[in-house]
Coordinates of all heavy atoms in Angstrom, one line a residue:
M1 N -55.6 13.5 2.1 CA -55.7 13.6 3.5 C -54.5 14.4 4.0 O -53.4 14.2 3.6 CB -55.6 12.1 4.1 CG -55.7 12.0 5.6 SD -55.6 10.3 6.2 CE -57.1 9.6 5.6
S2 N -54.7 15.3 4.9 CA -53.6 16.1 5.4 C -52.7 15.3 6.3 O -53.0 14.2 6.8 CB -54.2 17.3 6.2 OG -54.5 16.8 7.5
S3 N -51.4 15.8 6.4 CA -50.5 15.0 7.1 C -50.8 14.9 8.6 O -50.5 13.9 9.2 CB -49.1 15.7 7.0 OG -49.1 17.0 7.5
A4 N -51.5 15.9 9.2 CA -51.9 15.8 10.6 C -53.0 14.7 10.8 O -52.9 13.9 11.7 CB -52.5 17.2 11.1
I5 N -53.9 14.7 9.9 CA -55.0 13.6 10.0 C -54.3 12.3 9.7 O -54.6 11.3 10.4 CB -56.1 13.9 9.0 CG1 -56.9 15.2 9.5 CG2 -57.1 12.7 9.0 CD1 -57.9 15.6 8.5
N6 N -53.4 12.2 8.8 CA -52.7 11.0 8.4 C -51.9 10.5 9.7 O -51.9 9.3 9.9 CB -51.8 11.2 7.3 CG -51.2 9.9 6.7 OD1 -51.8 8.9 6.7 ND2 -50.0 10.0 6.3
A7 N -51.3 11.4 10.4 CA -50.5 11.0 11.6 C -51.5 10.4 12.6 O -51.2 9.4 13.2 CB -49.7 12.2 12.1
R8 N -52.6 11.0 12.8 CA -53.6 10.5 13.8 C -54.0 9.1 13.4 O -54.2 8.3 14.3 CB -54.7 11.5 13.9 CG -55.7 11.2 15.1 CD -56.8 12.2 15.2 NE -57.7 11.9 16.3 CZ -58.6 11.0 16.4 NH1 -58.8 10.2 15.4 NH2 -59.3 10.9 17.5
V9 N -54.3 8.9 12.2 CA -54.8 7.6 11.7 C -53.7 6.6 11.9 O -53.9 5.5 12.3 CB -55.3 7.7 10.2 CG1 -55.5 6.3 9.6 CG2 -56.5 8.6 10.1
R10 N -52.4 7.0 11.6 CA -51.3 6.1 11.7 C -51.1 5.7 13.2 O -50.8 4.5 13.5 CB -50.0 6.7 11.2 CG -50.0 6.7 9.7 CD -48.6 6.9 9.1 NE -47.7 7.7 9.9 CZ -47.5 9.0 9.7 NH1 -48.1 9.7 8.8 NH2 -46.6 9.7 10.5
I11 N -51.3 6.6 14.1 CA -51.3 6.3 15.5 C -52.4 5.3 15.9 O -52.1 4.3 16.6 CB -51.4 7.6 16.4 CG1 -50.2 8.5 16.2 CG2 -51.6 7.3 17.9 CD1 -50.3 9.9 16.7
L12 N -53.6 5.6 15.5 CA -54.7 4.7 15.8 C -54.4 3.3 15.2 O -54.7 2.3 15.9 CB -56.0 5.2 15.3 CG -56.6 6.4 16.1 CD1 -57.8 7.0 15.4 CD2 -56.9 6.0 17.5
D13 N -53.9 3.2 14.0 CA -53.7 1.9 13.3 C -52.6 1.2 14.1 O -52.8 0.0 14.4 CB -53.2 2.1 11.9 CG -54.2 2.6 10.9 OD1 -55.4 2.5 11.3 OD2 -53.9 3.1 9.8
A14 N -51.5 1.9 14.5 CA -50.5 1.2 15.2 C -51.0 0.7 16.6 O -50.7 -0.4 17.0 CB -49.3 2.2 15.4
A15 N -51.7 1.6 17.3 CA -52.2 1.2 18.6 C -53.2 0.0 18.5 O -53.1 -0.9 19.3 CB -53.0 2.3 19.2
E16 N -54.0 0.0 17.5 CA -55.0 -1.1 17.3 C -54.2 -2.5 17.1 O -54.5 -3.4 17.8 CB -55.9 -0.8 16.1 CG -56.9 -1.9 15.8 CD -57.8 -1.6 14.7 OE1 -57.6 -0.6 14.0 OE2 -58.8 -2.3 14.5
N17 N -53.2 -2.4 16.3 CA -52.4 -3.6 16.0 C -51.6 -4.1 17.2 O -51.6 -5.3 17.6 CB -51.5 -3.5 14.8 CG -52.3 -3.3 13.5 OD1 -53.4 -3.9 13.3 ND2 -51.8 -2.6 12.6
L18 N -51.0 -3.1 17.8 CA -50.1 -3.5 19.0 C -50.9 -3.9 20.2 O -50.6 -4.9 20.9 CB -49.2 -2.2 19.4 CG -48.1 -1.9 18.4 CD1 -47.6 -0.5 18.7 CD2 -47.0 -3.0 18.5
F19 N -52.1 -3.3 20.5 CA -52.9 -3.7 21.6 C -53.4 -5.1 21.3 O -53.6 -5.9 22.3 CB -54.1 -2.7 21.8 CG -53.7 -1.3 22.3 CD1 -54.6 -0.3 22.3 CD2 -52.4 -1.1 22.8 CE1 -54.3 0.9 22.8 CE2 -52.0 0.2 23.2 CZ -53.0 1.2 23.3
A20 N -53.8 -5.4 20.1 CA -54.3 -6.7 19.8 C -53.2 -7.8 19.9 O -53.5 -8.9 20.4 CB -54.8 -6.8 18.3
E21 N -52.0 -7.4 19.5 CA -50.8 -8.4 19.6 C -50.3 -8.6 21.0 O -50.0 -9.7 21.5 CB -49.7 -7.9 18.7 CG -49.9 -8.0 17.2 CD -48.8 -7.4 16.4 OE1 -47.8 -7.0 17.0 OE2 -49.0 -7.2 15.2
R22 N -50.1 -7.4 21.7 CA -49.4 -7.5 23.0 C -50.3 -7.3 24.2 O -49.9 -7.5 25.3 CB -48.3 -6.3 23.0 CG -47.3 -6.4 22.0 CD -46.5 -5.1 22.0 NE -45.3 -5.2 21.1 CZ -44.2 -4.6 21.3 NH1 -44.1 -3.8 22.4 NH2 -43.2 -4.7 20.5
G23 N -51.4 -6.7 24.0 CA -52.3 -6.2 25.1 C -52.1 -4.8 25.4 O -51.0 -4.2 25.2
Y24 N -53.1 -4.2 26.0 CA -53.0 -2.7 26.3 C -51.9 -2.5 27.3 O -51.1 -1.6 27.1 CB -54.4 -2.3 26.8 CG -54.4 -0.9 27.4 CD1 -54.5 0.2 26.5 CD2 -54.4 -0.7 28.7 CE1 -54.6 1.5 27.0 CE2 -54.4 0.7 29.2 CZ -54.5 1.7 28.3 OH -54.6 3.0 28.8
D25 N -51.9 -3.2 28.4 CA -50.9 -2.9 29.5 C -49.5 -3.1 29.1 O -48.6 -2.5 29.6 CB -51.3 -3.8 30.7 CG -52.5 -3.3 31.4 OD1 -52.8 -2.1 31.3 OD2 -53.2 -4.2 32.1
A26 N -49.3 -4.1 28.1 CA -47.9 -4.4 27.7 C -47.4 -3.6 26.6 O -46.3 -3.8 26.1 CB -47.8 -5.9 27.3
T27 N -48.2 -2.6 26.1 CA -47.8 -1.7 25.0 C -47.5 -0.3 25.5 O -48.5 0.4 25.7 CB -48.9 -1.7 23.9 OG1 -49.2 -3.1 23.6 CG2 -48.4 -1.0 22.7
P28 N -46.3 0.1 25.6 CA -45.9 1.5 26.0 C -46.3 2.4 24.8 O -46.2 2.1 23.6 CB -44.5 1.5 26.2 CG -43.9 0.1 25.9 CD -45.1 -0.7 25.4
T29 N -46.6 3.7 25.2 CA -46.9 4.7 24.2 C -45.7 4.9 23.3 O -45.9 5.3 22.1 CB -47.4 6.0 24.8 OG1 -46.4 6.4 25.8 CG2 -48.8 5.8 25.4
S30 N -44.5 4.8 23.8 CA -43.3 5.0 23.0 C -43.3 4.0 21.8 O -42.9 4.4 20.7 CB -42.0 4.9 23.8 OG -42.0 3.6 24.4
V31 N -43.7 2.8 22.0 CA -43.7 1.8 21.0 C -44.8 2.1 19.9 O -44.6 2.0 18.7 CB -43.9 0.4 21.5 CG1 -44.1 -0.7 20.4 CG2 -42.7 0.0 22.4
V32 N -46.0 2.6 20.4 CA -47.0 3.0 19.5 C -46.5 4.2 18.6 O -46.7 4.1 17.4 CB -48.3 3.5 20.3 CG1 -49.3 4.1 19.3 CG2 -48.9 2.4 21.1
A33 N -45.9 5.1 19.2 CA -45.3 6.3 18.4 C -44.3 5.8 17.4 O -44.3 6.2 16.2 CB -44.7 7.3 19.4
T34 N -43.4 5.0 17.8 CA -42.4 4.5 16.9 C -43.0 3.7 15.8 O -42.6 3.9 14.6 CB -41.4 3.6 17.7 OG1 -40.7 4.4 18.7 CG2 -40.3 3.0 16.8
T35 N -43.9 2.8 16.1 CA -44.6 2.0 15.1 C -45.4 2.9 14.1 O -45.4 2.6 12.9 CB -45.5 1.0 15.7 OG1 -44.8 0.2 16.6 CG2 -46.2 0.1 14.7
A36 N -46.0 4.0 14.6 CA -46.7 4.9 13.8 C -45.8 5.8 13.0 O -46.3 6.5 12.1 CB -47.7 5.7 14.6
G37 N -44.5 5.9 13.4 CA -43.6 6.8 12.7 C -43.8 8.2 13.0 O -43.6 9.1 12.2
V38 N -44.2 8.5 14.3 CA -44.4 9.9 14.7 C -43.7 10.1 16.0 O -43.4 9.2 16.7 CB -45.9 10.2 14.9 CG1 -46.7 9.9 13.7 CG2 -46.5 9.3 16.1
P39 N -43.3 11.4 16.3 CA -42.7 11.7 17.6 C -43.7 11.4 18.7 O -44.9 11.6 18.6 CB -42.4 13.2 17.5 CG -42.5 13.6 16.1 CD -43.5 12.6 15.5
K40 N -43.2 11.0 19.9 CA -44.0 10.7 21.0 C -44.9 11.9 21.4 O -46.0 11.8 21.8 CB -43.2 10.2 22.2 CG -44.0 9.6 23.3 CD -43.1 9.0 24.4 CE -43.9 8.4 25.5 NZ -43.0 7.9 26.6
G41 N -44.3 13.1 21.3 CA -45.0 14.3 21.6 C -46.3 14.5 20.7 O -47.3 15.0 21.2
L42 N -46.2 14.1 19.5 CA -47.4 14.2 18.6 C -48.5 13.2 19.1 O -49.7 13.5 19.0 CB -47.0 13.9 17.1 CG -48.1 14.2 16.1 CD1 -48.6 15.6 16.2 CD2 -47.6 13.8 14.7
L43 N -48.1 12.0 19.5 CA -49.1 11.1 20.0 C -49.8 11.7 21.2 O -51.0 11.7 21.2 CB -48.4 9.8 20.5 CG -49.3 8.7 21.0 CD1 -48.6 7.3 20.6 CD2 -49.5 8.8 22.4
F44 N -49.0 12.4 22.1 CA -49.7 13.0 23.2 C -50.4 14.3 22.9 O -51.3 14.7 23.6 CB -48.7 13.2 24.4 CG -48.3 12.0 25.1 CD1 -47.0 11.5 25.0 CD2 -49.2 11.2 25.8 CE1 -46.6 10.3 25.6 CE2 -48.8 10.1 26.4 CZ -47.5 9.6 26.4
Y45 N -50.2 14.9 21.8 CA -51.0 16.0 21.3 C -52.4 15.5 21.0 O -53.3 16.2 21.3 CB -50.3 16.6 20.1 CG -51.1 17.6 19.4 CD1 -51.2 19.0 19.9 CD2 -51.9 17.3 18.2 CE1 -52.0 19.9 19.3 CE2 -52.6 18.3 17.6 CZ -52.7 19.6 18.1 OH -53.5 20.5 17.5
Y46 N -52.5 14.4 20.3 CA -53.8 13.9 19.9 C -54.4 13.1 21.1 O -55.7 13.1 21.2 CB -53.7 12.9 18.7 CG -53.4 13.6 17.4 CD1 -52.1 13.4 16.8 CD2 -54.3 14.5 16.9 CE1 -51.9 14.1 15.6 CE2 -54.0 15.2 15.7 CZ -52.8 15.0 15.1 OH -52.5 15.6 13.9
F47 N -53.6 12.4 21.8 CA -54.2 11.6 22.9 C -53.3 11.8 24.2 O -52.3 11.2 24.4 CB -54.0 10.1 22.5 CG -54.6 9.8 21.2 CD1 -53.8 9.7 20.1 CD2 -56.0 9.7 21.0 CE1 -54.4 9.4 18.8 CE2 -56.6 9.5 19.7 CZ -55.7 9.3 18.6
P48 N -53.8 12.8 25.0 CA -53.0 13.2 26.2 C -52.6 12.1 27.2 O -51.7 12.2 27.9 CB -53.9 14.2 26.9 CG -54.8 14.7 25.8 CD -55.0 13.6 24.8
A49 N -53.4 11.0 27.2 CA -53.1 9.9 28.0 C -53.4 8.6 27.2 O -54.1 8.6 26.3 CB -54.0 9.9 29.3
K50 N -52.7 7.5 27.6 CA -52.9 6.3 26.9 C -54.3 5.8 26.9 O -54.8 5.3 25.9 CB -52.0 5.2 27.6 CG -51.9 3.9 26.9 CD -50.9 3.0 27.6 CE -51.0 1.6 27.1 NZ -50.1 0.7 27.9
A51 N -55.0 6.1 28.0 CA -56.4 5.8 28.1 C -57.3 6.5 27.0 O -58.3 6.0 26.5 CB -57.0 6.0 29.5
D52 N -56.9 7.7 26.7 CA -57.5 8.5 25.6 C -57.4 7.8 24.3 O -58.3 7.8 23.4 CB -57.0 9.9 25.6 CG -57.3 10.7 26.8 OD1 -58.4 10.6 27.4 OD2 -56.4 11.4 27.3
L53 N -56.2 7.2 24.1 CA -56.0 6.5 22.8 C -56.9 5.2 22.8 O -57.5 5.0 21.7 CB -54.5 6.1 22.8 CG -54.0 5.3 21.6 CD1 -54.3 5.9 20.3 CD2 -52.5 5.1 21.7
L54 N -57.0 4.5 23.8 CA -57.9 3.4 23.9 C -59.3 3.8 23.7 O -60.1 3.1 22.9 CB -57.7 2.6 25.2 CG -58.6 1.3 25.4 CD1 -58.2 0.3 24.3 CD2 -58.4 0.8 26.8
R55 N -59.8 4.9 24.3 CA -61.1 5.4 24.2 C -61.4 5.7 22.7 O -62.5 5.4 22.2 CB -61.4 6.6 25.0 CG -61.9 6.3 26.4 CD -62.4 7.5 27.1 NE -61.3 8.3 27.6 CZ -60.6 8.1 28.7 NH1 -60.9 7.1 29.5 NH2 -59.6 8.9 29.1
A56 N -60.5 6.3 22.0 CA -60.7 6.7 20.6 C -60.8 5.4 19.8 O -61.6 5.4 18.9 CB -59.5 7.6 20.1
L57 N -60.0 4.4 20.1 CA -60.1 3.2 19.3 C -61.5 2.5 19.5 O -62.1 2.1 18.5 CB -59.0 2.2 19.8 CG -57.6 2.4 19.2 CD1 -56.6 1.4 19.8 CD2 -57.6 2.2 17.7
V58 N -61.9 2.5 20.7 CA -63.2 1.8 21.0 C -64.3 2.6 20.3 O -65.2 2.0 19.7 CB -63.4 1.7 22.5 CG1 -64.8 1.3 22.8 CG2 -62.4 0.7 23.1
S59 N -64.3 3.9 20.4 CA -65.4 4.7 19.9 C -65.4 4.8 18.4 O -66.4 4.7 17.7 CB -65.5 6.1 20.5 OG -64.4 6.9 20.2
E60 N -64.2 5.0 17.8 CA -64.1 5.2 16.4 C -64.0 4.0 15.6 O -64.5 3.9 14.5 CB -62.9 6.1 16.1 CG -63.0 7.5 16.7 CD -61.7 8.4 16.4 OE1 -61.0 8.1 15.5 OE2 -61.5 9.3 17.3
R61 N -63.3 3.0 16.1 CA -63.1 1.8 15.3 C -64.2 0.7 15.6 O -64.5 -0.1 14.7 CB -61.7 1.2 15.6 CG -60.6 2.1 15.3 CD -60.3 2.3 13.8 NE -59.4 3.3 13.4 CZ -58.1 3.1 13.1 NH1 -57.6 1.9 13.1 NH2 -57.4 4.1 12.7
L62 N -64.7 0.7 16.8 CA -65.7 -0.3 17.2 C -67.1 0.2 17.3 O -68.0 -0.5 17.4 CB -65.3 -1.0 18.5 CG -63.9 -1.7 18.5 CD1 -63.7 -2.2 19.9 CD2 -63.9 -2.8 17.5
G63 N -67.2 1.5 17.2 CA -68.5 2.2 17.2 C -69.2 2.0 18.6 O -70.4 2.0 18.7
L64 N -68.4 1.8 19.6 CA -69.0 1.6 21.0 C -69.0 2.8 21.9 O -69.4 2.7 23.0 CB -68.3 0.4 21.7 CG -68.3 -0.9 20.9 CD1 -67.4 -1.9 21.7 CD2 -69.7 -1.4 20.8
G65 N -68.6 3.9 21.3 CA -68.5 5.1 22.1 C -69.7 6.0 22.3 O -70.7 5.8 21.9

């Protein structure tokens, strides 16, 4: 797996766990980036807004998209 794809997967993994633990509104993107081990700018490269991150989780992980 390329490092770029790996970073995207790490971001999604971190967001999934943090949203489940803390809730969407209580989880800042900076915490998602830190947990994923990526710069915040890279998170926004893949997901320009926090809502885009949630949409990707719902569509890719839950198959509801």
Side-chain angles (χ1 to χ4, degrees):
M1 182 180 292
S2 78
S3 61
I5 294 172
N6 189 36
R8 187 178 187 281
V9 170
R10 288 197 327 265
I11 293 167
L12 288 170
D13 288 344
E16 182 176 7
N17 292 328
L18 290 165
F19 291 170
E21 289 172 8
R22 300 173 171 209
Y24 174 80
D25 289 332
T27 305
T29 53
S30 59
V31 173
V32 175
T34 299
T35 302
V38 301
K40 192 172 177 183
L42 187 59
L43 184 148
F44 287 115
Y45 172 78
Y46 289 114
F47 308 102
K50 187 176 170 184
D52 297 317
L53 180 53
L54 181 60
R55 268 191 287 279
L57 279 173
V58 170
S59 66
E60 295 176 26
R61 302 284 171 103
L62 299 177
L64 301 176

